[in-house]
Amino acid sequence: MAQQAHRGWGRPTLQAAVYKGRSRATSRQSRSLPSTGQAMLATLALLLGLPLALAAEPPTCAPLVPVTFDNATVPGLLGQWIYIIGASKYPPHLVELREVKYSAFSFSPGSHEDELNVTEISRVNETCMVRNTKIQIIQHNSTLIHVNDKVVATAKLIQSDKDLLILKHFNDNFPGLSLSARMPNVSKEHLEEFKTHLHCLGFTQEEMFFTSEKDACPLPEETTGEGDVEPQLG
């Protein structure tokens, strides 16, 4: 009986040992699950956050490459252009940019090879005006100088599509950039590229001023001469 009793206690003891071993293994597995789960969550959070991080990166700033004037530069500027968008940190120009709703201008040969005649038709607030001025071409440093109401503005022509006119303006070290085109509309790609240039120069969306074709002025019947301003109805 004693031996039977011993054997009877032996089986539960063995079962208990096996169960104890399984419990320890299960405990080790359960302890390893939280660390594995945390690693998976961390990886998932990284993957989910990656697009946001990429979206937050600043735009790639390609350099603005000035045009070096040659014999083909001035002929390529002649004709009509439509002003599309501009931005400037120069206070007098900033006031003008806020007021100009539409502007079209044309270049024609001046009295000598280093001069261009400019005829500009603009809607300033609600009034359309025609203005005739001149641009001086400085060949040795590829610079354009525009004198308007005794205000001198200097600009560099920036390399771009032949049907686009990008000017980088210099006024007392205040940056400025403008985009004009042969047609009143430009492609979304060209517009976004230009806005990226503005962002790289430190301009915000609120500092970019667009014109609208719906505010276009009627064509003038005649102009009155250099520097004169002739109001037009429209």
Side-chain angles (χ1 to χ4, degrees):
M1 293 292 293
Q3 291 177 353
Q4 291 177 355
H6 180 74
R7 287 196 296 271
W9 283 103
R11 291 192 187 93
T13 303
L14 178 60
Q15 292 174 357
V18 172
Y19 178 77
K20 187 175 181 181
R22 289 178 178 174
S23 299
R24 288 175 179 173
T26 304
S27 176
R28 286 194 298 269
Q29 291 176 356
S30 63
R31 285 197 299 268
S32 66
L33 284 175
S35 59
T36 304
Q38 290 173 0
M40 292 179 64
L41 288 175
T43 303
L44 182 60
L46 178 62
L47 292 175
L48 291 175
L50 185 58
L52 295 177
L54 292 175
E57 290 182 356
T60 301
C61 294
L64 292 168
V65 182
V67 172
T68 299
F69 289 178
D70 57 26
N71 293 334
T73 301
V74 173
L77 294 176
L78 300 179
Q80 180 168 299
W81 298 92
I82 309 295
Y83 172 72
I84 305 294
I85 176 179
S88 178
K89 298 285 188 181
Y90 186 54
H93 285 181
L94 189 57
V95 173
E96 182 178 352
L97 288 174
R98 290 193 177 107
E99 295 176 345
V100 173
K101 308 304 180 186
Y102 175 85
S103 181
F105 56 94
S106 62
F107 294 135
S108 60
S111 57
H112 54 84
E113 63 179 5
D114 292 333
E115 181 181 86
L116 289 174
N117 295 325
V118 185
T119 299
E120 182 180 6
I121 308 169
S122 300
R123 183 183 294 275
V124 180
N125 293 322
E126 301 303 322
T127 304
C128 285
M129 296 181 293
V130 179
R131 185 182 298 274
N132 296 291
T133 55
K134 293 187 180 294
I135 283 181
Q136 302 300 321
I137 303 167
I138 312 302
Q139 296 283 353
H140 75 274
N141 62 359
S142 299
T143 301
L144 301 174
I145 298 178
H146 184 213
V147 179
N148 184 7
D149 291 337
K150 299 182 180 180
V151 176
V152 178
T154 304
K156 289 278 190 180
L157 181 64
I158 301 301
Q159 292 182 13
S160 61
D161 185 272
K162 65 181 181 63
D163 291 327
L164 300 179
L165 178 66
I166 298 178
L167 293 175
K168 185 175 183 181
H169 305 271
F170 301 92
N171 296 282
D172 296 335
N173 294 322
F174 289 99
L177 201 67
S178 65
L179 170 66
S180 302
R182 292 294 188 184
M183 302 296 290
N185 297 306
V186 298
S187 69
K188 182 179 179 181
E189 179 183 0
H190 284 145
L191 186 59
E192 290 303 317
E193 181 181 1
F194 182 78
K195 289 168 68 175
T196 298
H197 286 311
L198 289 178
H199 284 302
C200 291
L201 290 174
F203 292 99
T204 65
Q205 187 70 31
E206 292 72 23
E207 293 174 310
M208 303 176 192
F209 297 93
F210 294 81
T211 60
S212 174
E213 189 180 5
K214 69 180 180 62
D215 293 319
C217 296
L219 293 176
E221 295 182 0
E222 61 180 2
T223 57
T224 60
E226 180 186 347
D228 292 342
V229 177
E230 179 182 343
Q232 302 289 313
L233 297 178

